[in-house]
Amino acid sequence: MPTNQPDSHKIQAWSLINRKYLGQGVRVKRFRRPKRSQIRNRVLLAILMAKDIKLSRLAEDLSVSSRSVSAWVYEGRIPSKNNMDKTCRLLGYPPNVLFNEALLRQSPILCQPTPSRFMKRSMNNSPRSNVILTGLCMVYDLSVTDVSIWIGIHPGTFRKWLHYSHLPTLALQEKAETFFRIPRHILFADCETP
């Protein structure tokens, strides 16, 4: 009489085969690759990516749910005053940079002419770096060379902005502001005035 149950020796054989592959683990990317329209707080995500802080770790450090932190980044929600203060202290930026309400309402999509690819070697371990600008290149997967060409500057100049927190002239700040669609006081918040 046939039964719907598989033979026990077949199950054991499959478990041995699966054990071989399950023991190797699964490689999970550090950050999920969001669609451009999903990111409402691009500055916060840029800072987290540049500092290599996962959303779950930020949530743990702030003692809030990871769903709340995801809502701040992907839905553009503003945290409570207490959580905003803790986030600002932890990341080292003022509220008008991390949670700029005008920027969250607009949430413009970056207009890059062609696909580009961020190179990990662009990350430099210099003592001063522009975390926000570097993080934005990581968020949008933009290469330093492509961005500099699109903005209309030399790649070496753009690298100075990234790696040495060099504050560009007002005209160049306006070019960067136009390309990234983020106010220059936020884009260059890491730069010191000479």
Side-chain angles (χ1 to χ4, degrees):
M1 179 167 179
T3 62
N4 291 338
Q5 297 296 325
D7 297 336
S8 62
H9 69 280
K10 288 183 181 177
I11 293 174
Q12 290 171 349
W14 277 110
S15 71
L16 290 173
I17 292 170
N18 288 336
R19 194 172 300 148
K20 173 185 172 188
Y21 296 106
L22 291 175
Q24 294 177 0
V26 178
R27 185 172 181 268
V28 177
K29 289 190 174 188
R30 188 93 170 131
F31 291 92
R32 68 182 171 129
R33 179 60 55 197
K35 295 185 177 106
R36 292 180 193 175
S37 60
Q38 291 178 329
I39 306 169
R40 299 293 291 189
N41 194 335
R42 298 178 298 151
V43 175
L44 180 58
L45 183 61
I47 291 169
L48 294 175
M49 286 183 81
K51 292 187 175 195
D52 198 25
I53 300 173
K54 289 173 59 175
L55 297 182
S56 57
R57 189 176 123 211
L58 178 65
E60 187 178 303
D61 291 346
L62 297 174
S63 301
V64 297
S65 71
S66 57
R67 175 66 186 106
S68 295
V69 174
S70 292
W72 301 347
V73 171
Y74 297 110
E75 298 171 21
R77 293 202 183 146
I78 303 290
S80 67
K81 176 79 171 124
N82 184 31
N83 287 335
M84 186 183 296
D85 291 342
K86 288 194 296 188
T87 306
C88 291
R89 271 195 310 275
L90 183 71
L91 297 177
Y93 291 92
N96 68 330
V97 170
L98 288 179
F99 301 101
N100 188 306
E101 290 188 43
L103 194 58
L104 293 176
R105 278 194 307 272
Q106 295 174 20
S107 185
I109 294 174
L110 190 76
C111 290
Q112 67 187 79
T114 58
S116 184
R117 187 165 164 252
F118 181 79
M119 304 297 280
K120 284 292 184 189
R121 61 187 169 88
S122 298
M123 298 285 295
N124 191 0
N125 292 330
S126 57
R128 295 258 323 138
S129 63
N130 189 329
V131 176
I132 295 172
L133 209 51
T134 304
L136 285 170
C137 288
M138 293 173 75
V139 166
Y140 287 105
D141 205 17
L142 302 172
S143 79
V144 171
T145 306
D146 288 340
V147 173
S148 61
I149 290 169
W150 297 331
I151 291 176
I153 59 171
H154 189 274
T157 303
F158 190 69
R159 284 188 186 91
K160 285 180 186 176
W161 298 359
L162 292 178
H163 303 309
Y164 303 109
S165 291
H166 178 76
L167 185 65
T169 63
L170 193 57
L172 293 178
Q173 287 180 39
E174 288 174 358
K175 284 184 172 188
E177 178 180 17
T178 303
F179 177 76
F180 285 104
R181 297 184 179 183
I182 292 180
R184 59 180 171 262
H185 73 276
I186 294 176
L187 268 181
F188 299 101
D190 292 317
C191 300
E192 295 177 359
T193 53

